[in-house]
Amino acid sequence: MEIKGDLMDVEIKNLNITLSKKEIIKGIHLTVTGNKFVGLIGPNGSGKSTLLKALYRVLKPTYGDIYIYGKNIESYSKKSSAKILGVVSQFNNINFDFNVIDIVLMSRSPHKNLLEKDTKVDYDIALNALSLVGMLESAQKSFNLLSGGEKQRVLLARAITQEPKILILDEPTNHLDIKYQLEVMNIVKKLNICVLAALHDLTLASQFCDEIYVLKDGQIVCQGIPKDVITKEMIKEVYDVNSNVFVNPTTKRISIDYFTEDL
């Protein structure tokens, strides 16, 4: 598929999603252009995950449109969209007892014909991805025996092995220690592809995102670069939490100090 450089990677127009008669997403407009790391932030229930599920076609919008490279996502075959969109979702329940390498190699299927076997190239791509996430030594281990954090890193390796042009992450640092949170975010940033990620950690979002959309009650309440979006006023309005937001003199990055009114 030839992709013209002047098209937006992702364009969401007037998206609405109603589930069980409750309006979850309310007329959202969102665009992502180029190899940007774009973050979705907001409290639990704000609609971040629901929006992403519509993008990777788990949920069908009530109305509105999603375009990938100028083409309505509904016009892509599942296989075609899998060559473009890679996903690391929030909850991954894999009940079969596969080895790690087999889990990762599953993501090569969009690039293959039916019943086509894995090649040395496939294995090299998969092993490189496992190396990137620090899980190469676990390639032959059972996936089900890994910790939650290890599983999350393997699933990121699987998405990288898919070689997507756009990577969708739903809370990618869940279950990870601080060290691995930073490592995973660094890995994703260095992929130099379009990334759209739902994040709960505002400090991580400010550190790694090129642009941020803030969701509350299914609507975008503000958007922009991190230093303009992540303010104490936004945090109070959206999260109902008091904070001080300042630039760390050592790292030159945004730092956030949360507090209650009685402190």
Side-chain angles (χ1 to χ4, degrees):
M1 175 185 172
E2 184 179 352
I3 298 169
K4 295 180 180 180
D6 58 346
L7 293 176
M8 283 178 272
D9 292 20
V10 179
E11 186 175 15
I12 296 174
K13 293 184 175 181
N14 197 30
L15 197 73
N16 181 285
I17 300 174
T18 299
L19 301 174
S20 301
K21 299 183 179 180
K22 182 179 180 181
E23 197 176 27
I24 308 297
I25 298 296
K26 307 170 185 176
I28 279 184
H29 296 266
L30 182 152
T31 60
V32 184
T33 305
N35 297 335
K36 290 182 180 178
F37 194 128
V38 176
L40 303 177
I41 64 173
N44 290 339
S46 60
K48 302 186 301 295
S49 294
T50 301
L51 178 60
L52 292 184
K53 285 176 182 177
L55 184 55
Y56 61 85
R57 305 176 76 177
V58 170
L59 291 176
K60 190 173 180 63
T62 308
Y63 60 80
D65 297 293
I66 299 173
Y67 297 90
I68 305 295
Y69 300 122
K71 183 178 176 181
N72 194 300
I73 196 169
E74 293 297 326
S75 65
Y76 285 94
S77 68
K78 294 289 187 180
K79 184 172 184 178
S80 294
S81 62
K83 290 180 179 179
I84 298 171
L85 295 172
V87 180
V88 180
S89 58
Q90 190 170 2
F91 301 104
N92 289 278
N93 295 315
I94 299 175
N95 297 317
F96 299 103
D97 192 16
F98 290 113
N99 286 345
V100 165
I101 186 64
D102 296 323
I103 293 288
V104 174
L105 282 167
M106 287 177 185
S107 68
R108 296 300 298 163
S109 60
H111 302 277
K112 296 179 174 298
N113 296 319
L114 186 65
L115 302 180
E116 185 178 351
K117 293 183 178 179
D118 293 319
T119 65
K120 181 180 183 302
V121 171
D122 296 319
Y123 273 91
D124 287 345
I125 293 170
L127 292 172
N128 180 63
L130 284 171
S131 179
L132 279 176
V133 302
M135 292 296 294
L136 183 59
E137 293 183 0
S138 299
Q140 299 303 326
K141 289 184 179 179
S142 167
F143 181 81
N144 286 338
L145 296 180
L146 301 179
S147 69
E150 289 172 330
K151 287 180 179 178
Q152 191 76 342
R153 284 189 281 152
V154 169
L155 294 171
L156 175 59
R158 182 175 68 171
I160 294 170
T161 299
Q162 191 175 329
E163 296 187 308
K165 296 176 176 66
I166 300 169
L167 185 60
I168 302 169
L169 305 175
D170 190 350
E171 304 285 9
T173 57
N174 268 10
H175 315 301
L176 297 181
D177 294 334
I178 294 172
K179 172 186 175 183
Y180 292 118
Q181 288 182 18
L182 293 170
E183 286 187 0
V184 164
M185 295 292 278
N186 269 309
I187 290 164
V188 172
K189 186 77 169 179
K190 290 177 181 178
L191 293 175
N192 196 32
I193 62 174
C194 175
V195 178
L196 188 58
L199 301 166
H200 72 276
D201 189 311
L202 301 188
T203 301
L204 282 179
S206 69
Q207 182 173 344
F208 289 96
C209 293
D210 300 304
E211 188 174 359
I212 291 174
Y213 286 82
V214 183
L215 275 70
K216 181 181 181 182
D217 297 327
Q219 296 178 301
I220 294 172
V221 295
C222 62
Q223 68 186 81
I225 61 175
K227 73 179 183 66
D228 293 339
V229 169
I230 298 180
T231 64
K232 65 179 182 180
E233 292 81 11
M234 182 280 290
I235 293 170
K236 180 63 176 178
E237 177 188 347
V238 174
Y239 294 89
D240 195 24
V241 173
N242 296 299
S243 65
N244 286 317
V245 179
F246 56 96
V247 176
N248 187 300
T250 302
T251 64
K252 307 302 181 185
R253 293 168 177 157
I254 293 173
S255 295
I256 306 167
D257 178 22
Y258 301 102
F259 62 91
T260 58
E261 290 185 355
D262 58 349
L263 289 181

